[in-house]
Amino acid sequence: MEFPFDVDALFPERITVLDQHLRPPARRPGTTTPARVDLQQQIMTIIDELGKASAKAQNLSAPITSASRMQSNRHVVYILKDSSARPAGKGAIIGFIKVGYKKLFVLDDREAHNELEPLCILDFYIHESVQRHGHGRELFQYMLQKERVEPHQLAIDRPSQKLLKFLNKHYNLETTVPQVNNFVIFEGFFAHQHPPARKLPPKRAEGDIKPYSSSDREFLKVAVEPPWPLNRAPRRATPPAHPPPRSSSLGNSPERGPLRPFVPEQELLRSLRLCPPHPTARLLLAADPGGSPAQRRRTSSLPRSEESRY
């Protein structure tokens, strides 16, 4: 890919590494230095054009690589230039590869969920005019050395058929581990993960989910009898043929045990007469002169005709 500015002067090395800041690399001694804003604008133009070319080659509706996306994410882009191609002495860009660490939930060969943050291949493109010349292998190998990873440790975001054939040809990556997202991982991905995988707890079956804590369940096992007369058990109605369904998300709630049969009235009155008065009742009787035992005796000793006066 050619540009109207000097690509060879902008990128002194054959492969240039840029992070989210998109800072121009150090320039060679003795070269003129234009305004820094102009250099960054040139870099942004190159990244935007590479992203468009990659999206077109993969039949994507929109580019997944752009200068604005680079600035808003902690991704790294490796840009490969061709120093031998010097149209008007300005050089050319061969291709690029974009990588970044992402937090993913991936399945292993036993279909267990694993929460990992591997290095991901997010975009990879070599210009059509220079494909099958070893440029892709050169760029990919440089990235592996810089990032210090093995090919089977990578996760690839929506790889094209060309990329899958490339990985199979140069790195013998063929057997994939099926996933439910757009990322592809290969056999051996979990063998040497650094840092180690953080596995999520397995999902509990709906029937095992309890709405109460263990202490609540122990408490509800003991039926608490309400005071009289609330403990008089009503006549039970005939249970419906089809009881209403319970919520499957909460499981079966514990049921109270049957209440004891209510005490006969004569036996209850006898037990109440034998019970000593409550201390509070004694205080109330002492505070009420009309309710004292002496007053009641005086009242009861009057003749019936005298009682009617009061």
Side-chain angles (χ1 to χ4, degrees), residues 107-144:
L107 301 175
D108 56 21
D109 52 359
R110 294 172 297 179
E111 297 186 356
H113 288 270
N114 299 272
E115 182 182 4
L116 300 173
E117 195 171 7
L119 184 68
C120 303
I121 304 297
L122 304 175
D123 204 355
F124 186 27
Y125 170 73
I126 299 296
H127 195 269
E128 290 78 5
S129 62
V130 289
Q131 289 182 4
R132 301 183 183 275
H133 288 72
H135 299 302
R137 172 68 184 276
E138 177 188 2
L139 183 60
F140 202 92
Q141 193 65 29
Y142 184 87
M143 180 274 301
L144 293 177

Side-chain angles (χ1 to χ4, degrees), residues 128-163:
E128 290 78 5
S129 62
V130 289
Q131 289 182 4
R132 301 183 183 275
H133 288 72
H135 299 302
R137 172 68 184 276
E138 177 188 2
L139 183 60
F140 202 92
Q141 193 65 29
Y142 184 87
M143 180 274 301
L144 293 177
Q145 294 176 357
K146 269 288 190 181
E147 301 293 339
R148 298 181 180 180
V149 295
E150 297 294 331
H152 60 267
Q153 294 177 309
L154 297 170
I156 299 93
D157 184 14
R158 292 173 291 186
S160 62
Q161 290 299 321
K162 284 186 177 181
L163 179 53

